Amino acid sequence: ETGVTQSPTHLIKTRGQQVTLRCSSQSGHNTVSWYQQALGQGPQFIFQYYREEENGRGNFPPRFSGLQFPNYSSELNVNALELDDSALYLCASSTNRGLNEKLFFGSGTQLSVL
Amino acid sequence: EDQVTQSPEALRLQEGESSSLNCSYTVSGLRGLFWYRQDPGKGPEFLFTLYSAGEEKEKERLKATLTKKESFLHITAPKPEDSATYLCAVQVSGGGADGLTFGKGTHLIIQP
């Protein structure tokens, strides 16, 4: 059973650029959630995808968008990067659409915006 | 607005010295309370889910309890490998999928 994998592990971008982060869900999981974790803070919910559709969204602007593919892998896209977007971006997969019991997290992508 | 507050922010213990971490929450309706452990450079790792006041769960040296306003994570006779950041999170009830609301975590250091 493979775990949740994210790529790349580290990324440096310039303000105003666009970035795409990728996530492969754990085998058998059909729900993926994305979280942003700033230094010294807990993770903040960005959005969740279930069977290729957005199934819930946190307090993030529309320049944060996502996709889920038929194999349940996922992408997080961020447009017009701002300095405050610098953070660890975590992907988590699960089998429950609504009840986020036992999320399985990847190790994250560390994004630095200069 | 749903809020989760964890205390203390940081805790340093000697190996074998038992203690408790606190998570207080204010939510409109609790669907579940979760404890996760996060090691440096890694994503959170699931520990427990609690659903109703009075519920308790145990795993090795860890025991989680829940009341109507707070949860405690009790660590008995900790070892250096228990050093990590412990995160508390809540999910609220009410239609659709909502993500977890996390606290800032308690950074726990166990000294040999």
Side-chain angles (χ1 to χ4, degrees):
Chain A
E1 184 179 77
T2 57
V4 178
T5 58
Q6 293 188 241
S7 62
T9 55
H10 295 83
L11 200 53
I12 299 175
K13 289 287 188 179
T14 304
R15 190 174 54 182
Q17 286 188 314
Q18 178 265 343
V19 68
T20 297
L21 310 181
R22 294 179 174 82
C23 171
S24 292
S25 299
Q26 182 154 320
S27 176
H29 288 185
N30 56 18
T31 304
V32 64
S33 304
W34 285 91
Y35 287 80
Q36 179 196 68
Q37 187 174 25
L39 191 63
Q41 304 293 314
Q44 261 194 298
F45 176 65
I46 303 176
F47 44 56
Q48 180 185 88
Y49 277 81
Y50 171 73
R51 292 188 176 179
E52 302 177 57
E53 290 195 3
E54 189 177 293
N55 189 43
R57 190 178 184 95
N59 189 26
F60 279 80
R63 59 189 185 86
F64 286 78
S65 62
L67 284 173
Q68 187 183 30
F69 301 99
N71 65 355
Y72 303 131
S73 65
S74 177
E75 285 182 356
L76 165 65
N77 298 289
V78 186
N79 293 322
L81 284 167
E82 301 176 359
L83 298 179
D84 285 348
D85 295 333
S86 295
L88 179 68
Y89 288 85
L90 295 162
C91 168
S93 71
S94 62
T95 55
N96 287 335
R97 176 181 177 178
L99 181 58
N100 288 325
E101 181 165 351
K102 200 170 185 176
L103 293 180
F104 290 82
F105 283 88
S107 292
T109 294
Q110 185 66 54
L111 173 65
S112 298
V113 182
L114 305 178
Chain B
E1 183 181 333
D2 303 322
Q3 283 194 327
V4 178
T5 303
Q6 292 189 246
S7 62
E9 290 185 5
L11 182 62
R12 188 183 297 264
L13 300 172
Q14 292 296 122
E15 184 173 0
E17 181 183 0
S18 301
S19 188
S20 296
L21 312 183
N22 177 263
C23 170
S24 62
Y25 61 92
T26 305
V27 298
S28 51
L30 183 69
R31 176 183 279 170
L33 185 139
F34 305 81
W35 283 97
Y36 283 83
R37 168 192 171 129
Q38 187 172 25
D39 293 300
K42 295 194 174 183
E45 177 185 350
F46 173 81
L47 293 173
F48 304 109
T49 308
L50 301 166
Y51 295 103
S52 56
E55 189 174 359
E56 298 182 353
K57 288 192 177 174
E58 286 188 67
K59 178 181 178 180
E60 297 180 356
R61 295 177 292 281
L62 300 176
K63 178 180 177 180
T65 61
L66 181 66
T67 72
K68 289 186 177 180
K69 293 184 177 180
E70 57 191 351
S71 176
F72 291 93
L73 184 65
H74 307 279
I75 303 177
T76 302
K79 298 181 178 181
E81 53 261 42
D82 294 323
S83 299
T85 295
Y86 289 85
L87 296 164
C88 171
V90 297
Q91 188 180 43
V92 297
S93 55
D98 292 312
L100 299 182
T101 299
F102 281 87
K104 292 183 178 181
T106 293
H107 182 49
L108 178 65
I109 298 173
I110 308 299
Q111 294 179 311

